[in-house]
Amino acid sequence: MRIAVAGGTGTVGRHVVAIARERGHHVVSLSRTDGVDLVTGRGLDQALQGVETVIDVSGIQVLSTKRAVDFFTNATQNLLAAEKKAGVTHHVALSIVGIDKANSGLYAGKLVQEDEVKHGGIPWTILRSTQFHEFVPMSIKAASVGPLVFVPTMLTQPVAAKEVAAALVDAAEAGPKGRIPDLGGPRTEQLKGLVTAYLAKTRQKKLIVPLRVPGPMGKAMRKGGLIPAPGSAVGRQTFQEWLDAIGAA
């Protein structure tokens, strides 16, 4: 089929593009580097011509709830409107496990995105996944101040981005199914342990400062609200296996 991937150059998107092409689909990437801006809608109508299925893995790295909500509201509304014009018959969206328990920042934006998809008039599938292995280096970069890195107390179950991508292509091929089982990694971990292992692997000398995040978000982090419920789908690659496969920085 002809598939468009919103956010096709990102952490998961590049894997979605590669896997879909390997399976014989014709793939169009929707990103600013491809001349498409989801927030303004620029280039969407042209890019979606002839497209049957859209896989949305677009995102924004922000802590601000307002910015996250604004991004996902505008991007999703523009995408769905262009899909209707193009005759798209299936919208697949990637979301995050636990967003209904931690409604702030990025998670608030993803809740809005899910709501837009459910009421957008295009048959849909939503897959929620846990954080990717790549979340660890991203969080280190975002939370470092000089030699210090602030690490929230967080129970997590990281999953391989490539496995999430494969699940999204599976969903595209299966047709609209609504909310499908959540996907998490094979092991439950403490974020601090993952950060420690990544810093050692990449030979970075930083002092970890534990951070207790307040409010519902912090409670969800500490109490396991961001890991999948029993019966969810489980990935194969552990964080340590992913870490072993990357080179030293």
Side-chain angles (χ1 to χ4, degrees):
M1 72 181 85
R2 189 175 177 88
I3 298 173
V5 182
T9 57
T11 302
V12 176
R14 58 190 177 87
H15 290 300
V16 173
V17 169
I19 291 168
R21 284 176 176 161
E22 286 169 6
R23 296 189 188 180
H25 301 296
H26 181 87
V27 183
V28 177
S29 177
L30 309 179
S31 69
R32 284 191 294 272
T33 57
D34 300 303
V36 178
D37 189 324
L38 298 178
V39 175
T40 65
R42 177 176 58 87
L44 269 176
D45 289 344
Q46 298 90 329
L48 290 181
Q49 289 181 6
V51 167
E52 301 160 72
T53 298
V54 170
I55 301 176
D56 185 6
V57 289
S58 62
I60 183 172
Q61 292 183 31
V62 293
L63 296 175
S64 164
T65 296
K66 183 181 186 305
R67 288 184 62 193
V69 168
D70 287 350
F71 171 83
F72 284 108
T73 299
N74 294 333
T76 308
Q77 287 180 351
N78 288 336
L79 194 51
L80 291 169
E83 288 174 24
K84 287 180 182 177
K85 291 182 190 176
V88 170
T89 57
H90 187 194
H91 182 100
V92 181
L94 175 62
S95 192
I96 306 173
V97 170
I99 57 175
D100 37 11
K101 297 187 179 85
N103 190 10
S104 63
L106 179 65
Y107 285 50
K110 297 301 282 187
L111 267 179
V112 168
Q113 179 190 32
E114 286 192 5
D115 190 62
E116 293 287 350
V117 170
K118 290 173 183 176
H119 300 96
I122 305 288
W124 55 273
T125 301
I126 292 174
L127 169 67
R128 287 184 180 183
S129 86
T130 53
Q131 300 288 357
F132 319 126
H133 299 318
E134 290 84 355
F135 170 72
V136 174
M138 288 166 55
S139 65
I140 292 172
K141 182 177 180 181
S144 288
V145 179
L148 306 179
V149 57
F150 295 86
V151 179
T153 302
M154 178 178 177
L155 196 62
T156 184
Q157 197 170 318
V159 65
K162 190 172 183 179
E163 292 177 5
V164 174
L168 289 166
V169 178
D170 290 344
E173 293 172 341
K177 301 291 184 185
R179 172 89 181 273
I180 60 176
D182 295 350
L183 174 60
R187 291 186 58 182
T188 301
E189 314 259 14
Q190 287 288 345
L191 180 59
K192 181 181 177 182
L194 303 182
V195 169
T196 300
Y198 185 85
L199 291 174
K201 172 72 175 184
T202 55
R203 299 172 188 168
Q204 297 183 60
K205 295 184 183 296
K206 287 184 178 290
L207 178 64
I208 294 175
V209 180
L211 182 66
R212 186 180 175 90
V213 176
M217 174 65 82
K219 182 178 179 181
M221 286 178 165
R222 293 188 298 275
K223 302 295 185 180
L226 307 184
I227 62 174
S232 300
V234 179
R236 297 177 302 279
Q237 187 189 50
T238 66
F239 179 81
Q240 188 59 52
E241 289 169 341
W242 173 81
L243 195 57
D244 290 341
I246 67 172

